[in-house]
């Protein structure tokens, strides 16, 4: 029987360790969406090539992130690895011809990342792939005819471009072939750096600005202990960003919620001790991440099995992609021959 559920698609780049910002901001929500939707979650290694990168490390990073996602609760059957489905790149090429050059140069992410790329490379390099990135992203989404795309606000411009490309395609071929996908802006906790709560948790700012989901317990505790709370001059009774961030982490973890309530009361009575708060945050995070780590350890014991499962699921998902590309080639006047 055909799957009647609405579909959801999102992707993540294998650029490094998964941290709490990624987990609370995206992955935790992806796990929940699996209950209601047909979900496609991609580890997008073609995208990871758009910035200067270490060729020797990419393949391992791709597998590691895939395993991390499973350990956090993503079902293997929802997962695919982008380069196992080369039709993404093929459809990306076709979409290049339905997207104007000017649209791409206007993307703010391109402007930001091209600066980073120049800094990261030895020779001021900006790849054409970086400019083309949102076209490949469009292919990721439309190839599965996804109804919803859970992404952060920073991806709105790319999603708008996706709809523009779909529209231009539809009107060129004279058929409402692609449904226009919608962003799914579920409210997710935006976790800040504990070292500098005025910026979001991210890898690019350096080691002390993110807490890895699979970090050692001692390291997590240490990072929370040294979290910035407030700078002393706060007498307004308003909660500082740092303290708010700590409270938010407890709530987001779903652990230690009774302590959360009593600490909140302490805060309201003006009697909150930051050391108590930090202890509870650390306990909550350790409790949550230990569950993931146990699953991750079990995966490590038997990587071959899971690799096999992911290859199988990518093959299943590839069939959907192949059907779309076949229809698209028919529509745009390319040849479709069975060899
Ligand atoms: N650009 C997205 C990001 O940086 C990653 C991504 C690639 C993506 N393809 C996608 C997100 C398709 C949603 C849908 O977060």
């Amino acid at each position: 029987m055909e799957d009647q559920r609405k579909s959801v698609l999102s992707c993540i780049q294998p650029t490094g360790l998964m941290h709490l910002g990624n987990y609370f901001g995206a992955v935790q929500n992806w796990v929940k969406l699996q209950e209601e939707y047909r979900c496609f979650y991609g580890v997008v290694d073609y995208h990871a090539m758009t910035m200067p990168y270490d060729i020797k490390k990419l393949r391992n990073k791709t597998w590691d992130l895939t395993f991390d996602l499973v350990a956090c609760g993503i079902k293997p059957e929802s997962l695919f690895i982008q380069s196992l489905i080369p039709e993404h790149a093929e459809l990306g090429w076709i979409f290049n011809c339905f997207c104007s050059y000017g649209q791409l140069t206007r993307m703010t992410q391109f402007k930001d990342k091209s600066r980073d790329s120049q800094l990261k490379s030895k020779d001021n390099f900006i790849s054409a792939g970086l400019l083309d990135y949102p076209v490949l992203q469009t292919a990721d989404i439309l190839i599965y005819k996804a109804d919803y795309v859970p992404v952060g606000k920073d991806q709105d411009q790319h999603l708008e471009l996706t709809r523009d490309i779909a529209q231009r395609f539809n009107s060129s071929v004279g058929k409402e072939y692609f449904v226009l996908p919608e962003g799914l802006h579920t409210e997710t906790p935006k976790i800040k750096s504990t070292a500098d709560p005025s910026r979001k948790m991210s890898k690019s700012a350096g080691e002390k600005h993110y807490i890895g989901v699979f970090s050692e317990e001692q390291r997590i505790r240490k990072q929370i202990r040294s979290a910035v709370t407030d700078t002393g001059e706060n007498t307004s009774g308003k909660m500082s960003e740092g303290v708010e961030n700590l409270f938010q982490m407890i709530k987001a973890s779903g652990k230690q919620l009774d302590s959360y309530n009593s600490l909140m009361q302490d805060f309201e009575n003006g009697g909150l001790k930051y050391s108590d708060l930090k202890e509870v945050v650390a306990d909550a995070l350790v409790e949550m991440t230990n569950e993931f780590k146990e699953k991750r350890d079990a995966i490590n014991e038997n990587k071959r099995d899971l690799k096999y499962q992911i290859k199988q699921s990518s093959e299943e998902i590839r069939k959907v992609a192949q059907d779309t590309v076949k229809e698209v080639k028919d529509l745009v006047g390319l040849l479709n021959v069975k060899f």
Side-chain angles (χ1 to χ4, degrees), residues 9-13 44 47 109 113 133 137 140-141 149-151 155 158:
L9 174 135
S10 201
C11 300
I12 184 167
Q13 288 194 59
V44 288
H47 277 105
Q109 189 168 315
K113 291 224 174 164
Y133 180 115
Q137 180 164 348
D140 298 337
I141 298 168
V149 187
V151 279
Q155 293 297 313
H158 286 169

Side-chain angles (χ1 to χ4, degrees), residues 88 114 266:
H88 284 242
S114 43
D266 291 347

